Amino acid sequence: MTCDNRLQPLNDDFEAVREDERRRLARDLHDGTAQLIVLMQLKIGELRRLAPAGSEELIENLDEALAEVRQQVRGYL
């Protein structure tokens, strides 16, 4: 049995574990992080309606930060 033949089952196992972890991470991001992002979007919308005048820059900064988080999460999927 050659070295490549002996390593193939290990490589197959490694690929299966890696794929399982990728699926778990995608599920966690979808189920947890995505819901938090939606909640934050709703709260920013509420803040826009209720915040006193002069708060626009702060709200815009929050909105931009959330957009950046959203973009980074998409990079993981």
Side-chain angles (χ1 to χ4, degrees), residues 6-67:
R6 288 182 292 176
L7 291 178
Q8 189 59 46
L10 292 175
N11 189 46
D12 293 344
D13 289 346
F14 176 76
E15 289 299 321
V17 167
R18 187 167 68 169
E19 182 61 24
D20 288 346
E21 183 62 14
R22 187 197 66 76
R23 278 195 298 269
R24 185 196 64 76
L25 179 60
R27 185 176 50 249
D28 288 351
L29 284 172
H30 180 269
D31 293 347
T33 307
Q35 289 181 11
L36 289 172
I37 288 172
V38 169
L39 177 61
M40 291 168 56
Q41 287 173 313
L42 293 171
K43 293 296 183 181
I44 289 173
E46 186 177 343
L47 187 59
R48 281 189 202 284
R49 288 188 304 279
L50 301 175
S55 302
E56 295 83 11
E57 185 177 351
L58 173 62
I59 295 169
E60 190 59 35
N61 289 340
L62 290 171
D63 204 28
E64 289 171 5
L66 183 58

Side-chain angles (χ1 to χ4, degrees), residues 1-10:
M1 182 179 262
T2 69
C3 185
D4 286 343
N5 289 345
R6 288 182 292 176
L7 291 178
Q8 189 59 46
L10 292 175

